[in-house]
Amino acid sequence: MSDHGFEAVRITDDVWWVGATDWEIRDFHGYATSRGTTYNAYLVMADKVTLLDTVKAPFRHEMMARIASVIDPKKVDYIVSHHTEMDHTGSLPETIRELEPEKVFASPMGVKALKAHFELEGVEPLKTGDDLSLGNRTLKLMETKMLHWPDSMVSYLVEEKLLFSQDGFGMHLASSERFADELDPAVLRSEAAKYYANILLPYSGLITGLLGTMQGLGLQVDVLCPDHGPVWRKGFDVIDWYGEWAQQKPTMKAVVTYATMWRSTEKMAHAAAEGLAASGASVKVLPVPPSHRSDVMTELLDAGGLLVGSPTINNNMFPTAADLLCYARGLKPKNLVGQVFGSYGWSGEACKQMGAELDGMGVERVGEPLRVNYVPTDADLVKCRELGTQVAQAMKEKAG
Ligand code: FEO
């Protein structure tokens, strides 16, 4: 038992999980992490003892204690940093100072990023196709530029058929169980979808390419070790899910999301949702607040329709609608049809502003923006319902 009560978890004969569990985190740079997360680091007990990634800075003591439960940390020969984002490198400089490894490796872009972040010198580059010999083990490197940073790479432990996939195939899920097959499959899919929608969605084309490359290389994966969430050792559902999500096929699911001040826009949202549902769409109605932007994005991952509503306040859309649209635009959801709606008192700029945002996202707009002065009448609500019907019809056509 280590001094701190933290122990490593054995993944295979020679590979140990030496990461950290962050039970408390509820906001990960704007993404609501309601189930916490883990920062996974792995120790390969090869001839050259190798640490793969580190953890967020405040968790260094936990990682060090887990390493110490396997081996004297001073005996770590190599450190490989797959990705510079600070949830994986925050403790790297101090770890290097303490362990004094023989060598530290990163991708060529990672070498630059580590210098920029921490003024780290002497990190050796590894590029796609390079094999890093650990003596009795071999680590094959593959850069995965823009999945999801330019420096990102993954590595494959040849003898154990084990893929260290970094952020890829990960999820924000803190658990005492270390393996996916010990956890509820519905929770796994839900958290993997949330991670994909909020981190990887803009890079779906690259994901399709990576899955094709893995298949083309005949890369057999017996164990999949991401840097967040559980390790997969059988039933690699997450790889199939990625194949599905990367396509972003048009579907008959619609998201109606809105901000409201005095519930007029809310009434419009409900009427539009009725029209969508009556025309065969499956509908999620998500007011912001209380719905979090990252949960709206998760619902958009497999949606074909998007209706966004907001009242006008001080010549602008409501701030929570602006927050959502700014966030969504960056994540570039595809294959959506939709429109905007909202109540207004006198100036009514919100619909124009939201419409421009939807156009920027590439949403195919159906019909006209629907504005209602102050409080919707019954006749206005009929129009909202008709907008829902129109959007559902367009979704049907797009989904084929
Ligand atoms: Fe888990 Fe992109 O860091």
Side-chain angles (χ1 to χ4, degrees), residues 83 85 87-88 148 167 195 228:
H83 170 37
E85 194 162 10
D87 48 330
H88 308 294
H148 68 120
D167 278 337
Y195 193 90
H228 297 288

Side-chain angles (χ1 to χ4, degrees), residues 28-29 37-40 83-89 147-149 151-152 166-168 172 195 199-200 227-228:
F28 191 97
H29 58 48
T37 195
T38 64
Y39 313 109
N40 298 340
H83 170 37
T84 313
E85 194 162 10
M86 285 184 279
D87 48 330
H88 308 294
T89 58
L147 282 175
H148 68 120
W149 274 24
D151 62 300
S152 300
Q166 222 292 304
D167 278 337
H172 288 312
Y195 193 90
I199 305 275
L200 297 171
D227 268 5
H228 297 288

